Amino acid sequence: MSTSVATPPPQGRRMAAVAILVSALVALALWAFAWPAARTAPRDLPLGVAGPAAATAPLQSQLEQHKGAFEIHRYADEAAARDAIEDRAVYGAVVVTPQGTKLLTATAASPVVAQLLEQAVAGQAPEGAKVTTTDVVAAPADDPRGSALGASVLPLAIAGVAAGAVVTMLGLRGIRAVASLVLAAALVGVVAAAVTHSWLGVLTGNWWAEAGVLGLSTLAVGATVAGCAALLGPAGIGVGALTMVLLGNPFSGVTSAPRLLPEPVGFIGQLLPPGAGGTLLRSVSFFDGARITGPLVTLAVWALLGLTAVLLGALRRPAAAARDEVPAARETVQVA
């Protein structure tokens, strides 16, 4: 009985494969990070217009000339426009009063959008007219540009990837793997809240709610990575990591706003844990939990699917091992 041994590919092929793979990853990273940043612009950005219809009609007409830039919402007065901003229905509002034009912004929602609205409304105002700007929901004094909040998305994604990879490499399966992922995510949430809220002061909402969001974001990523590894083997770690870090992070829109990213990037980003986690964290920390249902459900679904995949992977392994034992037992009998 002859046995054939697979010969490894020549060293030249291995070197070429490595070069091609690295180049492909670089191209993917540049596309994912640089392309959305280079194409940042308002796309159906929700903007309120408040005041008497006769007074606001010219302004609304001018704003609508920017095709596809703004999604105009009409409000009766300034109070209604403020409520809409605090409810995250719009990013800002232009209020026309007898005293002049007033712009309402929310730097807590996006400092980039607030600055963009200031420029757009100032450009539409009559020459010599003064536009007063009021920040309805201001960003924290310790993070006026939202830089720290935006920078928190990548570490959370990396923490989730690390949790999923470590659980896989340690050989934890089934309930033990699920318990480890949940415990790790809970600890990450507490530590991240302690750093961002208690130390840096860049989050200003309910401490435990923020810790819960940070932990759930980590769990959604970690469970996905571990679930992919449980179903696909070690290659699943790479699949999960690439999805969450190379796509989820730049597509999240946390540093700008989802409505500023080219489509379908902004939409896809909100369906991935980093984007949903960033949106949920803003709502919990700055807007008293306004419009949390969508991102909360998104994170919960990712976490549930990932943990389910971990459990299914544990059930498949004993069955696969049992199938492998049958041929081995037959060979043993034949040799005997």
Side-chain angles (χ1 to χ4, degrees), residues 185-245:
L187 290 176
V188 168
V190 170
V191 172
V195 172
T196 55
H197 185 120
S198 304
W199 179 33
L200 298 178
V202 300
L203 299 180
T204 59
N206 181 274
W207 196 95
W208 286 107
E210 292 166 352
V213 172
L214 295 165
L216 181 58
S217 300
T218 303
L219 179 61
V221 175
T224 300
V225 172
C228 289
L231 297 179
L232 304 176
I237 297 177
V239 173
L242 289 176
T243 301
M244 297 302 164
V245 176

Short mmCIF file of all heavy atoms in Angstrom, two decimals, residues 185-245:
data_model
loop_
_atom_site.label_atom_id
_atom_site.label_comp_id
_atom_site.label_asym_id
_atom_site.label_seq_id
_atom_site.Cartn_x
_atom_site.Cartn_y
_atom_site.Cartn_z
N ALA A 185 -16.48 40.94 28.44
CA ALA A 185 -17.16 42.14 27.93
C ALA A 185 -17.64 43.02 29.09
O ALA A 185 -17.54 44.25 29.02
CB ALA A 185 -18.34 41.74 27.05
N ALA A 186 -18.15 42.40 30.15
CA ALA A 186 -18.61 43.16 31.31
C ALA A 186 -17.45 43.93 31.95
O ALA A 186 -17.59 45.11 32.31
CB ALA A 186 -19.27 42.24 32.33
N LEU A 187 -16.31 43.28 32.10
CA LEU A 187 -15.14 43.94 32.68
C LEU A 187 -14.64 45.06 31.78
O LEU A 187 -14.26 46.13 32.27
CB LEU A 187 -14.04 42.92 32.93
CG LEU A 187 -14.31 41.91 34.05
CD1 LEU A 187 -13.18 40.89 34.14
CD2 LEU A 187 -14.48 42.61 35.39
N VAL A 188 -14.64 44.83 30.46
CA VAL A 188 -14.23 45.89 29.53
C VAL A 188 -15.16 47.09 29.65
O VAL A 188 -14.71 48.24 29.65
CB VAL A 188 -14.23 45.36 28.08
CG1 VAL A 188 -14.09 46.52 27.09
CG2 VAL A 188 -13.09 44.37 27.88
N GLY A 189 -16.47 46.83 29.78
CA GLY A 189 -17.42 47.93 29.92
C GLY A 189 -17.15 48.77 31.16
O GLY A 189 -17.17 50.00 31.11
N VAL A 190 -16.87 48.11 32.28
CA VAL A 190 -16.59 48.82 33.52
C VAL A 190 -15.30 49.62 33.41
O VAL A 190 -15.24 50.80 33.79
CB VAL A 190 -16.52 47.84 34.70
CG1 VAL A 190 -16.00 48.52 35.95
CG2 VAL A 190 -17.90 47.23 34.96
N VAL A 191 -14.25 48.99 32.88
CA VAL A 191 -12.96 49.68 32.73
C VAL A 191 -13.09 50.86 31.76
O VAL A 191 -12.58 51.96 32.03
CB VAL A 191 -11.88 48.70 32.26
CG1 VAL A 191 -10.60 49.43 31.90
CG2 VAL A 191 -11.60 47.65 33.34
N ALA A 192 -13.76 50.64 30.63
CA ALA A 192 -13.90 51.71 29.63
C ALA A 192 -14.70 52.88 30.18
O ALA A 192 -14.38 54.05 29.93
CB ALA A 192 -14.56 51.16 28.37
N ALA A 193 -15.76 52.60 30.96
CA ALA A 193 -16.54 53.67 31.56
C ALA A 193 -15.71 54.43 32.60
O ALA A 193 -15.81 55.66 32.71
CB ALA A 193 -17.80 53.11 32.20
N ALA A 194 -14.90 53.70 33.35
CA ALA A 194 -14.04 54.36 34.34
C ALA A 194 -13.06 55.31 33.67
O ALA A 194 -12.79 56.40 34.18
CB ALA A 194 -13.30 53.30 35.16
N VAL A 195 -12.53 54.90 32.50
CA VAL A 195 -11.56 55.74 31.80
C VAL A 195 -12.24 56.92 31.12
O VAL A 195 -11.84 58.08 31.30
CB VAL A 195 -10.77 54.90 30.77
CG1 VAL A 195 -9.90 55.80 29.91
CG2 VAL A 195 -9.93 53.85 31.47
N THR A 196 -13.28 56.65 30.33
CA THR A 196 -13.89 57.70 29.51
C THR A 196 -14.78 58.64 30.32
O THR A 196 -14.83 59.85 30.04
CB THR A 196 -14.71 57.08 28.37
OG1 THR A 196 -15.68 56.17 28.93
CG2 THR A 196 -13.83 56.33 27.41
N HIS A 197 -15.48 58.10 31.31
CA HIS A 197 -16.39 58.95 32.09
C HIS A 197 -15.71 59.51 33.33
O HIS A 197 -15.63 60.73 33.52
CB HIS A 197 -17.61 58.12 32.51
CG HIS A 197 -18.66 58.92 33.21
ND1 HIS A 197 -19.95 59.05 32.73
CD2 HIS A 197 -18.64 59.64 34.37
CE1 HIS A 197 -20.65 59.81 33.55
NE2 HIS A 197 -19.87 60.18 34.57
N SER A 198 -15.20 58.62 34.19
CA SER A 198 -14.67 59.07 35.47
C SER A 198 -13.34 59.81 35.35
O SER A 198 -13.10 60.78 36.07
CB SER A 198 -14.52 57.86 36.41
OG SER A 198 -15.74 57.18 36.56
N TRP A 199 -12.48 59.36 34.46
CA TRP A 199 -11.15 59.96 34.35
C TRP A 199 -11.10 61.08 33.32
O TRP A 199 -10.79 62.23 33.63
CB TRP A 199 -10.11 58.88 34.03
CG TRP A 199 -8.71 59.40 33.88
CD1 TRP A 199 -8.15 60.46 34.55
CD2 TRP A 199 -7.71 58.93 32.96
NE1 TRP A 199 -6.84 60.66 34.14
CE2 TRP A 199 -6.55 59.73 33.16
CE3 TRP A 199 -7.67 57.90 32.03
CZ2 TRP A 199 -5.38 59.53 32.44
CZ3 TRP A 199 -6.50 57.70 31.31
CH2 TRP A 199 -5.37 58.51 31.52
N LEU A 200 -11.43 60.75 32.06
CA LEU A 200 -11.31 61.74 30.98
C LEU A 200 -12.47 62.72 30.94
O LEU A 200 -12.32 63.84 30.44
CB LEU A 200 -11.19 61.02 29.63
CG LEU A 200 -9.97 60.10 29.45
CD1 LEU A 200 -10.02 59.42 28.09
CD2 LEU A 200 -8.67 60.90 29.60
N GLY A 201 -13.63 62.31 31.41
CA GLY A 201 -14.78 63.21 31.40
C GLY A 201 -15.37 63.45 30.03
O GLY A 201 -16.04 64.47 29.81
N VAL A 202 -15.18 62.53 29.09
CA VAL A 202 -15.70 62.72 27.73
C VAL A 202 -17.11 62.14 27.58
O VAL A 202 -17.75 62.35 26.55
CB VAL A 202 -14.75 62.10 26.68
CG1 VAL A 202 -13.39 62.76 26.77
CG2 VAL A 202 -14.63 60.60 26.87
N LEU A 203 -17.58 61.42 28.58
CA LEU A 203 -18.96 60.94 28.63
C LEU A 203 -19.63 61.55 29.84
O LEU A 203 -19.01 61.67 30.91
CB LEU A 203 -19.01 59.40 28.71
CG LEU A 203 -18.38 58.64 27.54
CD1 LEU A 203 -18.51 57.13 27.77
CD2 LEU A 203 -19.02 59.01 26.21
N THR A 204 -20.89 61.91 29.70
CA THR A 204 -21.54 62.67 30.78
C THR A 204 -22.90 62.10 31.18
O THR A 204 -23.63 62.75 31.94
CB THR A 204 -21.73 64.13 30.35
OG1 THR A 204 -22.53 64.17 29.15
CG2 THR A 204 -20.39 64.80 30.08
N GLY A 205 -23.26 60.93 30.72
CA GLY A 205 -24.56 60.36 31.04
C GLY A 205 -24.52 59.46 32.26
O GLY A 205 -23.64 59.59 33.13
N ASN A 206 -25.47 58.56 32.33
CA ASN A 206 -25.52 57.60 33.43
C ASN A 206 -24.34 56.64 33.33
O ASN A 206 -24.14 56.00 32.30
CB ASN A 206 -26.85 56.83 33.39
CG ASN A 206 -26.97 55.84 34.52
OD1 ASN A 206 -26.50 54.70 34.41
ND2 ASN A 206 -27.60 56.25 35.60
N TRP A 207 -23.58 56.53 34.40
CA TRP A 207 -22.34 55.76 34.38
C TRP A 207 -22.58 54.30 34.04
O TRP A 207 -21.91 53.72 33.18
CB TRP A 207 -21.64 55.87 35.74
CG TRP A 207 -20.20 55.46 35.75
CD1 TRP A 207 -19.11 56.26 35.61
CD2 TRP A 207 -19.69 54.12 35.90
NE1 TRP A 207 -17.94 55.53 35.67
CE2 TRP A 207 -18.27 54.20 35.85
CE3 TRP A 207 -20.27 52.88 36.07
CZ2 TRP A 207 -17.46 53.09 35.96
CZ3 TRP A 207 -19.46 51.75 36.17
CH2 TRP A 207 -18.06 51.87 36.12
N TRP A 208 -23.55 53.70 34.70
CA TRP A 208 -23.80 52.26 34.49
C TRP A 208 -24.40 51.99 33.11
O TRP A 208 -24.14 50.94 32.51
CB TRP A 208 -24.69 51.70 35.59
CG TRP A 208 -23.97 51.56 36.89
CD1 TRP A 208 -24.11 52.32 38.01
CD2 TRP A 208 -22.96 50.59 37.19
NE1 TRP A 208 -23.25 51.89 38.99
CE2 TRP A 208 -22.53 50.84 38.52
CE3 TRP A 208 -22.36 49.56 36.48
CZ2 TRP A 208 -21.55 50.08 39.14
CZ3 TRP A 208 -21.37 48.80 37.09
CH2 TRP A 208 -20.98 49.05 38.41
N ALA A 209 -25.21 52.92 32.62
CA ALA A 209 -25.75 52.76 31.26
C ALA A 209 -24.64 52.80 30.23
O ALA A 209 -24.61 52.02 29.28
CB ALA A 209 -26.80 53.83 30.98
N GLU A 210 -23.70 53.71 30.43
CA GLU A 210 -22.55 53.79 29.52
C GLU A 210 -21.69 52.54 29.60
O GLU A 210 -21.24 52.01 28.57
CB GLU A 210 -21.71 55.02 29.86
CG GLU A 210 -22.42 56.34 29.58
CD GLU A 210 -21.73 57.53 30.23
OE1 GLU A 210 -20.79 57.32 31.02
OE2 GLU A 210 -22.14 58.66 29.94
N ALA A 211 -21.47 52.04 30.81
CA ALA A 211 -20.71 50.80 30.97
C ALA A 211 -21.41 49.64 30.27
O ALA A 211 -20.77 48.79 29.64
CB ALA A 211 -20.51 50.49 32.45
N GLY A 212 -22.75 49.62 30.35
CA GLY A 212 -23.50 48.57 29.67
C GLY A 212 -23.36 48.64 28.16
O GLY A 212 -23.20 47.62 27.49
N VAL A 213 -23.40 49.86 27.61
CA VAL A 213 -23.24 50.03 26.16
C VAL A 213 -21.85 49.61 25.72
O VAL A 213 -21.68 48.90 24.72
CB VAL A 213 -23.51 51.49 25.77
CG1 VAL A 213 -23.16 51.72 24.30
CG2 VAL A 213 -24.97 51.85 26.01
N LEU A 214 -20.83 50.04 26.46
CA LEU A 214 -19.46 49.69 26.12
C LEU A 214 -19.24 48.18 26.21
O LEU A 214 -18.57 47.58 25.36
CB LEU A 214 -18.49 50.43 27.06
CG LEU A 214 -18.48 51.95 26.91
CD1 LEU A 214 -17.78 52.60 28.10
CD2 LEU A 214 -17.80 52.35 25.61
N GLY A 215 -19.82 47.56 27.23
CA GLY A 215 -19.69 46.11 27.36
C GLY A 215 -20.44 45.36 26.28
O GLY A 215 -19.93 44.37 25.72
N LEU A 216 -21.65 45.82 25.95
CA LEU A 216 -22.42 45.15 24.90
C LEU A 216 -21.74 45.29 23.54
O LEU A 216 -21.75 44.34 22.74
CB LEU A 216 -23.84 45.74 24.84
CG LEU A 216 -24.79 45.13 23.82
CD1 LEU A 216 -24.96 43.63 24.07
CD2 LEU A 216 -26.15 45.83 23.86
N SER A 217 -21.14 46.44 23.28
CA SER A 217 -20.41 46.62 22.02
C SER A 217 -19.25 45.64 21.93
O SER A 217 -19.00 45.04 20.87
CB SER A 217 -19.89 48.06 21.92
OG SER A 217 -20.95 49.00 21.95
N THR A 218 -18.54 45.48 23.03
CA THR A 218 -17.42 44.53 23.06
C THR A 218 -17.91 43.10 22.90
O THR A 218 -17.30 42.29 22.18
CB THR A 218 -16.65 44.67 24.39
OG1 THR A 218 -16.22 46.01 24.54
CG2 THR A 218 -15.44 43.75 24.41
N LEU A 219 -19.01 42.77 23.56
CA LEU A 219 -19.56 41.41 23.46
C LEU A 219 -20.00 41.10 22.03
O LEU A 219 -19.80 39.98 21.55
CB LEU A 219 -20.73 41.25 24.42
CG LEU A 219 -21.43 39.89 24.41
CD1 LEU A 219 -20.46 38.77 24.81
CD2 LEU A 219 -22.64 39.89 25.33
N ALA A 220 -20.62 42.07 21.36
CA ALA A 220 -21.09 41.84 19.99
C ALA A 220 -19.91 41.49 19.07
O ALA A 220 -20.02 40.58 18.23
CB ALA A 220 -21.82 43.07 19.47
N VAL A 221 -18.79 42.19 19.24
CA VAL A 221 -17.61 41.90 18.42
C VAL A 221 -16.96 40.59 18.84
O VAL A 221 -16.65 39.73 17.99
CB VAL A 221 -16.59 43.05 18.53
CG1 VAL A 221 -15.31 42.70 17.77
CG2 VAL A 221 -17.18 44.35 18.00
N GLY A 222 -16.76 40.41 20.15
CA GLY A 222 -16.09 39.19 20.63
C GLY A 222 -16.87 37.93 20.31
O GLY A 222 -16.29 36.92 19.90
N ALA A 223 -18.19 37.97 20.50
CA ALA A 223 -19.01 36.81 20.20
C ALA A 223 -18.99 36.48 18.71
O ALA A 223 -18.98 35.31 18.31
CB ALA A 223 -20.45 37.05 20.66
N THR A 224 -18.97 37.52 17.88
CA THR A 224 -18.91 37.29 16.43
C THR A 224 -17.61 36.61 16.03
O THR A 224 -17.60 35.65 15.24
CB THR A 224 -19.06 38.61 15.68
OG1 THR A 224 -20.32 39.21 16.00
CG2 THR A 224 -18.98 38.39 14.17
N VAL A 225 -16.49 37.09 16.56
CA VAL A 225 -15.19 36.50 16.23
C VAL A 225 -15.12 35.06 16.72
O VAL A 225 -14.71 34.16 15.99
CB VAL A 225 -14.05 37.34 16.85
CG1 VAL A 225 -12.71 36.64 16.69
CG2 VAL A 225 -14.00 38.71 16.20
N ALA A 226 -15.52 34.82 17.97
CA ALA A 226 -15.49 33.46 18.51
C ALA A 226 -16.46 32.56 17.77
O ALA A 226 -16.18 31.37 17.54
CB ALA A 226 -15.83 33.49 20.01
N GLY A 227 -17.62 33.09 17.38
CA GLY A 227 -18.59 32.28 16.64
C GLY A 227 -18.08 31.90 15.27
O GLY A 227 -18.25 30.75 14.82
N CYS A 228 -17.44 32.85 14.58
CA CYS A 228 -16.85 32.53 13.27
C CYS A 228 -15.77 31.46 13.41
O CYS A 228 -15.67 30.55 12.58
CB CYS A 228 -16.27 33.79 12.63
SG CYS A 228 -17.48 34.99 12.07
N ALA A 229 -14.95 31.57 14.47
CA ALA A 229 -13.90 30.57 14.68
C ALA A 229 -14.50 29.21 15.01
O ALA A 229 -13.97 28.17 14.60
CB ALA A 229 -12.98 31.03 15.81
N ALA A 230 -15.60 29.19 15.76
CA ALA A 230 -16.23 27.92 16.13
C ALA A 230 -16.79 27.20 14.92
O ALA A 230 -16.80 25.97 14.86
CB ALA A 230 -17.32 28.17 17.16
N LEU A 231 -17.26 27.97 13.92
CA LEU A 231 -17.87 27.36 12.74
C LEU A 231 -16.88 27.15 11.59
O LEU A 231 -17.02 26.20 10.82
CB LEU A 231 -19.03 28.22 12.26
CG LEU A 231 -20.21 28.40 13.23
CD1 LEU A 231 -21.27 29.29 12.60
CD2 LEU A 231 -20.82 27.05 13.61
N LEU A 232 -15.90 28.06 11.48
CA LEU A 232 -14.98 28.02 10.35
C LEU A 232 -13.58 27.56 10.71
O LEU A 232 -12.75 27.37 9.82
CB LEU A 232 -14.88 29.40 9.70
CG LEU A 232 -16.20 30.04 9.24
CD1 LEU A 232 -15.95 31.45 8.70
CD2 LEU A 232 -16.88 29.18 8.20
N GLY A 233 -13.30 27.41 12.00
CA GLY A 233 -11.94 27.09 12.42
C GLY A 233 -11.13 28.35 12.64
O GLY A 233 -11.68 29.46 12.67
N PRO A 234 -9.82 28.22 12.78
CA PRO A 234 -8.96 29.40 13.05
C PRO A 234 -9.12 30.52 12.03
O PRO A 234 -8.95 31.69 12.38
CB PRO A 234 -7.55 28.81 13.01
CG PRO A 234 -7.74 27.36 13.36
CD PRO A 234 -9.05 26.97 12.78
N ALA A 235 -9.44 30.18 10.79
CA ALA A 235 -9.63 31.22 9.78
C ALA A 235 -10.77 32.15 10.14
O ALA A 235 -10.81 33.31 9.70
CB ALA A 235 -9.89 30.59 8.41
N GLY A 236 -11.71 31.67 10.96
CA GLY A 236 -12.83 32.50 11.36
C GLY A 236 -12.40 33.71 12.17
O GLY A 236 -13.08 34.75 12.15
N ILE A 237 -11.29 33.59 12.90
CA ILE A 237 -10.78 34.75 13.65
C ILE A 237 -10.43 35.87 12.69
O ILE A 237 -10.75 37.04 12.92
CB ILE A 237 -9.56 34.34 14.50
CG1 ILE A 237 -9.95 33.29 15.54
CG2 ILE A 237 -8.95 35.57 15.18
CD1 ILE A 237 -8.79 32.79 16.36
N GLY A 238 -9.75 35.53 11.60
CA GLY A 238 -9.38 36.53 10.61
C GLY A 238 -10.60 37.15 9.96
O GLY A 238 -10.65 38.37 9.75
N VAL A 239 -11.60 36.33 9.64
CA VAL A 239 -12.82 36.85 9.01
C VAL A 239 -13.52 37.84 9.94
O VAL A 239 -13.91 38.94 9.53
CB VAL A 239 -13.77 35.69 8.65
CG1 VAL A 239 -15.11 36.24 8.17
CG2 VAL A 239 -13.15 34.81 7.58
N GLY A 240 -13.68 37.45 11.20
CA GLY A 240 -14.34 38.33 12.15
C GLY A 240 -13.55 39.60 12.41
O GLY A 240 -14.12 40.69 12.47
N ALA A 241 -12.24 39.48 12.55
CA ALA A 241 -11.40 40.64 12.83
C ALA A 241 -11.43 41.63 11.67
O ALA A 241 -11.53 42.85 11.87
CB ALA A 241 -9.97 40.20 13.12
N LEU A 242 -11.31 41.13 10.44
CA LEU A 242 -11.32 42.01 9.27
C LEU A 242 -12.66 42.74 9.16
O LEU A 242 -12.71 43.93 8.85
CB LEU A 242 -11.05 41.21 8.00
CG LEU A 242 -9.62 40.70 7.82
CD1 LEU A 242 -9.52 39.84 6.57
CD2 LEU A 242 -8.64 41.87 7.72
N THR A 243 -13.75 42.03 9.43
CA THR A 243 -15.07 42.65 9.32
C THR A 243 -15.24 43.76 10.35
O THR A 243 -15.72 44.86 10.03
CB THR A 243 -16.17 41.59 9.52
OG1 THR A 243 -16.03 40.57 8.54
CG2 THR A 243 -17.55 42.22 9.40
N MET A 244 -14.83 43.50 11.58
CA MET A 244 -15.07 44.46 12.65
C MET A 244 -14.08 45.62 12.63
O MET A 244 -14.45 46.76 12.93
CB MET A 244 -15.00 43.76 14.02
CG MET A 244 -16.07 42.70 14.19
SD MET A 244 -17.73 43.41 14.00
CE MET A 244 -18.71 41.94 13.75
N VAL A 245 -12.82 45.37 12.31
CA VAL A 245 -11.79 46.41 12.38
C VAL A 245 -11.65 47.16 11.06
O VAL A 245 -11.67 48.39 11.02
CB VAL A 245 -10.44 45.81 12.81
CG1 VAL A 245 -9.35 46.88 12.79
CG2 VAL A 245 -10.54 45.20 14.20
#
